[in-house]
Amino acid sequence: MEQQRQSSSRLSFLHLSCVIFLSTLVSCQLDYKYYDDTCPNLTRIVRYGVWSAISNDTRMAASLLRLHFHDCFVNGCDGSVLLDDTSTTKGEKNAFPNRNSARGFEVIDAIKANLEKACPATVSCTDILTLVAREAVFLGGGPFWAVPLGRRDGLTASESEANNLPSPFEPLENITAKFTARGLDLKDVVVLSGGHTIGFAQCLSFKNRLFDFSGSGKPDPTLDASLLQSLQSTCPSQADSDTKLVALDSVTTNKFDNIYFQNLVNKSGLLQSDQALMGDNRTAAMVQYYSKYPYFFSKDFGASMVRMAKIGVLTGQDGEIRKNCRVVN
């Protein structure tokens, strides 16, 4: 009888620990060792695929990180961003935030193909995206963090939800609301914005700051004068410059570091939504902190990425393991 009570207590403790440890958005079926037996070479295969892609195109690191973000913020991390349009379903690739800008799909395809050879019908496209984002950051000089695995792939996509992704044109309070609706907080907004330490933006996404900010007929006053002059030269006020690319961090463009935050302190954030972090006392204090302490930015970035990768995941028997990341089985 005593043994039964002890066993029951242990189970209750384990259950309670599980509930406390993970957010309510995800079950306890995510596991750091999920594929250790079924696909032991998973990390090596993913890392090689990402390394190969970045070796051919340094921009790809930021593109792969962005894909993971755009996946998780649309109905949870379920690989929906990877699905192609079909005769009956519109995918997310042509939603406004993704059209002509989301890229890296062929990198995911290549990694998936290699994993299907090594361990068929085992690793989900969603877990691949999650690992790929970590490797892209790590290979770019950023932090390494452990990733709990076991996500399954969704069966649907939503163009309308993808059109509601956080936008560089939105005020900070709107962006924060979208984060909190997904179980994240203001600190996550600041930390994950630090992902803009790598990558590029099209002129269209910040040109509103350069010539007629908020209908004032003048540039955004929070933009550094010398940067403004450079950007006006690169992105003149004409439509044919809309798709030109400018580095989000012009100081260390391809290195994952904390210079992004130093840029914000110096009024050199490229996107309006980035520089807006200096317009709120709470977020400005965090920006100042991360601009001085790269170690803590790296540590917190990994923690925020783990939290984001738990948004609305499918586990157990929900969803499926796609054989081809572009189509439902």
Side-chain angles (χ1 to χ4, degrees):
M1 192 70 175
E2 181 62 27
Q3 194 172 17
Q4 274 185 324
R5 276 201 300 272
Q6 288 177 347
S7 177
S8 174
S9 296
R10 276 196 298 272
L11 285 171
S12 297
F13 175 75
L14 286 171
H15 175 71
L16 183 61
S17 298
C18 191
V19 170
I20 291 171
F21 180 69
L22 293 180
S23 86
T24 54
L25 294 171
V26 61
S27 80
C28 287
Q29 289 166 293
L30 291 186
D31 186 346
Y32 289 97
K33 297 183 176 182
Y34 191 84
Y35 296 108
D36 281 10
D37 295 328
T38 56
C39 197
N41 290 322
L42 170 60
T43 301
R44 183 181 62 79
I45 292 169
V46 171
R47 182 169 298 168
Y48 176 76
V50 175
W51 174 83
S52 179
I54 295 173
S55 296
N56 289 328
D57 175 8
T58 53
R59 274 183 63 208
M60 192 54 70
S63 298
L64 294 171
L65 176 60
R66 185 169 182 257
L67 265 190
H68 179 44
F69 176 79
H70 280 210
D71 180 41
C72 290
F73 264 67
V74 179
N75 296 330
C77 312
D78 62 355
S80 58
V81 72
L82 303 174
L83 291 171
D84 287 340
D85 289 355
T86 69
S87 56
T88 56
T89 310
K90 290 196 81 173
E92 298 164 18
K93 292 179 179 179
N94 287 309
F96 180 72
N98 293 329
R99 192 185 313 139
N100 300 321
S101 67
R103 55 200 293 275
F105 299 108
E106 70 287 347
V107 177
I108 305 299
D109 291 340
I111 291 171
K112 177 62 171 174
N114 286 330
L115 285 170
E116 285 300 302
K117 290 174 191 169
C119 27
T122 301
V123 183
S124 69
C125 299
T126 313
D127 273 342
I128 292 171
L129 257 185
T130 307
L131 286 169
V132 158
R134 192 264 311 272
E135 295 302 322
V137 169
F138 179 61
L139 292 171
F144 181 91
W145 60 92
V147 176
L149 300 165
R151 297 164 191 76
R152 287 168 67 84
D153 298 320
L155 306 176
T156 60
S158 174
E159 184 182 51
S160 60
E161 283 296 315
N163 277 322
N164 199 35
L165 279 160
S167 158
F169 306 110
E170 286 185 286
L172 179 60
E173 55 266 33
N174 288 29
I175 292 172
T176 303
K178 291 180 179 182
F179 272 67
T180 54
R182 290 158 178 83
L184 302 175
D185 61 22
L186 190 61
K187 181 179 179 181
D188 294 311
V189 174
V190 177
V191 172
L192 293 174
S193 293
H196 287 165
T197 180
I198 54 173
F200 291 74
Q202 295 183 14
C203 290
L204 177 65
S205 62
F206 58 86
K207 200 188 280 189
N208 65 307
R209 303 183 69 198
L210 306 183
F211 303 100
D212 183 21
F213 183 64
S214 298
S216 66
K218 297 177 182 179
D220 184 345
T222 66
L223 190 56
D224 173 75
S226 59
L227 178 61
L228 171 64
Q229 195 171 11
S230 169
L231 292 176
Q232 286 176 330
S233 172
T234 305
C235 305
S237 186
Q238 51 202 51
D240 62 2
S241 72
D242 283 355
T243 57
K244 280 189 181 178
L245 295 172
V246 176
L248 287 161
D249 167 13
S250 60
V251 181
T252 55
T253 303
N254 297 315
K255 185 181 179 188
F256 196 98
D257 54 25
N258 72 323
I259 301 297
Y260 162 85
F261 295 106
Q262 295 180 20
N263 292 341
L264 298 189
V265 172
N266 295 325
K267 294 187 171 184
S268 297
L270 187 64
L271 303 179
Q272 180 183 334
S273 56
D274 286 334
Q275 195 59 49
L277 295 175
M278 290 301 292
D280 179 291
N281 289 337
R282 298 165 302 166
T283 53
M286 288 186 252
V287 169
Q288 292 276 5
Y289 178 73
Y290 291 129
S291 74
K292 295 172 185 171
Y293 302 108
Y295 167 80
F296 292 108
F297 166 56
S298 291
K299 178 172 165 288
D300 290 349
F301 188 82
S304 286
M305 287 292 286
V306 169
R307 277 195 291 277
M308 184 183 79
K310 290 176 183 174
I311 298 173
V313 302
L314 303 170
T315 59
Q317 297 304 307
D318 294 333
E320 65 179 14
I321 304 296
R322 282 183 218 146
K323 294 172 185 172
N324 176 343
C325 292
R326 293 173 179 265
V327 295
V328 173
N329 291 345

